[in-house]
Amino acid sequence: MEITMIASRGNQVTSETVQGANLAVQHLSCDICVEECSACKRDHTTEKLDISENNSHAGSSFAHAVINMAGMLIGLGQLSTPYAIENGGWASAFLLIGLGVICAYSAHLLGKCLDKNPKSRSYIDIGQHAFGRKGRAAAATFIYLEIFMALVSYTILLHDNLITVFSGTSLDLSWAKLSTSQMLTVIAVLIALPSLWLRDLSSISFLSVGGILMSVLIFLSVAFTAIFGGVKANHRIPVLNLHKIPHISGLYIFSYAGHIVFPNLYKAMKDPSKFTKVSIVSFTLVTALNTALGFMGTKLFGPGVNSQITLSMPQHLVVTKIALWATVLTPMTKYALEFAPLAIQLENHLPISLSARSKMMIRSSVGSLLLIIILTLALSLPYFQYVLSLTGSLVSICICLIFPCAFYIKISWPHISQRLLILNVTLIGFGFLLGFSGTTFSLKSLIHTLQDAHGTRRH
């Protein structure tokens, strides 16, 4: 759920992701820094001036902004919506819609925070304006944590779909102590690895286009299956499974995670006063799409619906193979984009005396090591629904709901009305309740599943 830099000011390239992947493209300097070292300031003074000049000539229209915001929000979360509605019951769709309304409101709050301090250009800047260096550190920490956990989820997604794409394939590598699906995942990650070594972000931007196209293709494939695939949509959806709400709330909130790049979208708009309308239209479209996909998948596949809708589609259909390949290719387009902000921040802290080649070697080594860690975690925790739910409940709820409300209260404190204060404090409390219950449920489920899997292997 991501937006790339405005490539040539006439065209905006839209990309889908978990948030923050191309954050570095819009502010290549110290915006992500927790510690504002002087070397970083010196190295990027020119870029800062260029960004300020670009912001002053921002020309994104209302339609462009809606397309960009909707593109950011359509992504990984949509795959699990049918699973969430089946487990939570059809009444849980009210929670899905309600969270869409709340997240649109929190996006509006970010715009208000930017109104009050025109110097702020990013989510992290808003955090610093509200709570100083502690706010900046908290915002940066959660952004990086979300990027990391999203990449783990993408790798699990890659693993689960690869074995279906290459069903019948057997790799006899007993010496490696890896299954066929694990070896296929390792090979795919190794293929994507060189993309992390690219320094020129313009070389990476085409990956973001591929990301959103793959997401649209997946949705169309499911819709085609519902209409022409010969699958009867006659499964009964339970009314409400209250005990599963903590689990599915994390999946729902992850579907709306995109707030870390909303300030950049705001700054790119020709008329930022329309940002609230952009948020309303975009979240309405995405909420409608997620709800429609959720009910469509649940009616088609019922209790057997997978946490990834593509794995529930009839394997003999050509459209299913297209959807599976789209799902496989999507994670491979994400590694370089998600690693970009971390890589640039790393280079900012390297000694100026180092040569470009040395910096590239360090960057590549760190990127490769990080990807190996992500791969190891994904193969050790191959439970997509629990990892994604944990990401939503632990991290996304803070970025999408708790932080924007807290930032707005702090920044607007001298002038905030009592009604707005009560509303935002209530939303913060609701966010904490949802986050705590969802995190607890997801962790317990993940631990129990791991214990069961370990016990099965022993016997």
Side-chain angles (χ1 to χ4, degrees), residues 61 71 96 103 105 123 140 152 199 219 306 312 350 368 380 415 417:
S61 66
L96 175 64
C103 287
Y105 171 71
Y123 192 96
V152 173
R199 179 60 183 88
F219 176 78
N306 198 282
S312 295
L350 292 175
S368 301
S380 304
H415 311 290
S417 67

Side-chain angles (χ1 to χ4, degrees), residues 107-182:
H108 158 76
L109 293 183
L110 291 177
K112 290 297 182 183
C113 291
L114 291 167
D115 283 342
K116 294 181 181 298
N117 184 12
K119 292 182 180 179
S120 294
R121 294 188 307 275
S122 67
Y123 192 96
I124 295 175
D125 286 342
I126 297 173
Q128 181 169 3
H129 181 208
F131 295 103
R133 298 183 71 176
K134 290 182 179 179
R136 187 179 190 90
T141 300
F142 274 81
I143 285 174
Y144 289 137
L145 184 59
E146 188 173 51
I147 290 173
F148 182 81
M149 294 181 73
L151 284 176
V152 173
S153 297
Y154 273 119
T155 308
I156 297 172
L157 183 77
L158 181 65
H159 168 268
D160 292 348
N161 285 270
L162 267 175
I163 191 60
T164 307
V165 168
F166 293 101
S167 58
T169 302
S170 178
L171 298 177
D172 186 12
L173 295 172
S174 55
W175 55 269
K177 296 184 178 180
L178 294 174
S179 66
T180 298
S181 62
Q182 290 174 329

Side-chain angles (χ1 to χ4, degrees), residues 177-244:
K177 296 184 178 180
L178 294 174
S179 66
T180 298
S181 62
Q182 290 174 329
M183 276 306 305
L184 288 171
T185 307
V186 170
I187 292 170
V189 169
L190 289 176
I191 292 173
L193 181 61
S195 66
L196 270 65
W197 305 340
L198 296 172
R199 179 60 183 88
D200 182 8
L201 291 170
S202 62
S203 302
I204 304 173
S205 61
F206 74 93
L207 295 174
S208 9
V209 181
I212 190 169
L213 289 178
M214 294 302 162
S215 294
V216 172
L217 189 59
I218 291 167
F219 176 78
L220 293 176
S221 299
V222 176
F224 184 90
T225 301
I227 300 171
F228 305 108
V231 181
K232 293 183 179 180
N234 56 1
H235 288 278
R236 180 180 174 273
I237 305 174
V239 178
L240 181 65
N241 294 322
L242 197 59
H243 64 287
K244 292 186 178 181

